[in-house]
């Protein structure tokens, strides 16, 4: 597609449930990022992939959060045993960044709004 | 990790006036400083960026300045227009790109 695509756009779940959020980056972008944005705040870094590998997962808040990018394109963010505090908009972005370079322009998706009841 | 602080949190200006947003960062190794604009309900989009080997960059009505010694950088919007109303985020890249909390800019017609 022409831009970064995220699904679902909205997800409502109950506390304790498992959720998966999907990101389809711009074709050819080797770098993929997940951010979390709470109301009135800036995007908070979660994890960065360069190709298939997680180059930096230092932003994942705890071991309930996990992300994969098995073929170097589509990525899935997985959240186990969801808590109310996980409610936020989860933003995915991609860029042409090469190893050891700055990010360059990040192209963001529309986000997946997660609500944990 | 990198810590980015952004001020003010809200800014209201008369159409045609200038708007200035200021950010500070903590990691002296940071070398890339982009600014993103996010309209209500939409995705953030890059409007301008600056790298650490440059002190100032301008693109039409938008300019960014960087002071590496003081670890602060600023966004300047001149001749503001109603379509400039949005939330603006500064960011700094240490190990990864860290964002400020945002400034809600309202341009009054």
């Amino acid at each position: 597609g022409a831009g970064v695509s995220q699904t679902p756009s909205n997800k409502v779940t109950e506390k304790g449930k498992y959720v998966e959020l999907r990101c389809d980056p711009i074709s050819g972008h080797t770098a993929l990022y997940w951010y979390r944005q709470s109301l009135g705040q800036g995007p908070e870094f979660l994890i960065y992939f360069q190709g298939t590998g997680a180059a930096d997962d230092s932003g994942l808040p705890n071991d309930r959060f996990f992300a994969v990018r098995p073929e170097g394109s589509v990525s899935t963010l997985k959240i186990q045993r969801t808590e109310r505090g996980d409610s936020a908009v989860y933003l995915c972005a991609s860029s042409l960044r090469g190893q050891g370079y700055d990010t360059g322009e990040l192209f963001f998706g529309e986000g997946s709004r997660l609500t944990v009841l | 990790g990198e810590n980015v602080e952004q001020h003010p949190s809200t800014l209201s200006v008369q159409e045609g006036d200038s708007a200035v947003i200021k950010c500070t960062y903590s990691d002296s190794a940071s070398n890339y400083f982009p600014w993103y604009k996010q309209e209500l309900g939409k995705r953030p989009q890059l409007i301008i960026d600056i790298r650490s080997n440059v002190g100032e960059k301008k693109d039409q009505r938008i300019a960014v300045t960087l002071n590496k010694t003081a670890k602060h950088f600023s966004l300047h919007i001149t001749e503001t227009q109603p379509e400039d109303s949005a939330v603006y985020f500064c960011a700094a890249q240490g190990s990864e790109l860290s964002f400020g909390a945002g400034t809600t800019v309202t341009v009054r017609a």
Side-chain angles (χ1 to χ4, degrees):
Chain A
V4 177
S5 176
Q6 291 189 246
T7 55
S9 56
N10 277 286
K11 175 70 176 179
V12 180
T13 191
E14 293 179 343
K15 180 174 177 296
K17 298 291 187 182
Y18 169 82
V19 299
E20 289 190 353
L21 307 175
R22 175 189 164 105
C23 173
D24 195 348
I26 293 173
S27 178
H29 280 192
T30 57
L32 184 146
Y33 309 80
W34 284 100
Y35 281 82
R36 177 169 69 175
Q37 187 173 27
S38 300
L39 193 63
Q41 297 296 315
E44 173 194 4
F45 171 75
L46 297 177
I47 187 170
Y48 151 54
F49 287 90
Q50 183 65 252
T52 60
D56 185 346
D57 64 358
S58 62
L60 294 177
N62 51 60
D63 61 6
R64 295 187 298 104
F65 289 74
F66 190 70
V68 296
R69 194 186 185 198
E71 297 179 356
S73 179
V74 170
S75 176
T76 304
L77 178 66
K78 308 180 181 192
I79 311 174
Q80 298 178 321
R81 305 184 304 280
T82 52
E83 300 177 356
R84 291 191 181 88
D86 298 335
S87 297
V89 175
Y90 288 80
L91 291 168
C92 177
S94 68
S95 78
L96 285 167
R97 176 185 189 178
Q99 285 281 13
Y101 289 87
D102 63 50
T103 65
E105 181 173 3
L106 295 189
F107 293 86
F108 283 91
E110 295 282 3
S112 292
R113 180 177 298 279
L114 175 66
T115 303
V116 182
L117 301 177
Chain B
E2 177 64 272
N3 181 42
V4 179
E5 296 196 353
Q6 183 171 349
H7 301 280
S9 57
T10 61
L11 181 60
S12 180
V13 296
Q14 189 70 38
E15 183 178 359
D17 288 350
S18 294
V20 180
I21 303 170
K22 298 182 178 182
C23 290
T24 61
Y25 61 98
S26 60
D27 186 351
S28 57
S30 290
N31 58 7
Y32 175 62
F33 307 90
W35 288 84
Y36 282 78
K37 176 182 180 182
Q38 187 174 29
E39 297 178 359
L40 189 62
K42 297 195 174 181
R43 68 191 81 190
Q45 292 189 300
L46 180 73
I47 55 170
I48 194 168
D49 58 12
I50 191 168
R51 290 178 170 83
S52 59
N53 57 347
V54 175
E56 184 173 357
K57 183 176 179 180
K58 188 173 182 180
D59 182 5
Q60 298 183 350
R61 297 186 296 108
I62 295 173
V64 59
T65 60
L66 171 64
N67 183 329
K68 284 218 73 182
T69 303
K71 289 190 282 189
H72 66 68
F73 55 115
S74 301
L75 178 72
H76 304 250
I77 307 173
T78 58
E79 301 171 24
T80 52
Q81 300 169 4
E83 55 264 37
D84 294 330
S85 296
V87 181
Y88 292 81
F89 295 99
C90 62
Q93 182 171 352
S95 55
E96 286 311 325
L97 194 62
S98 298
F99 286 82
T103 298
T104 301
V105 174
T106 304
V107 180
R108 306 186 307 272

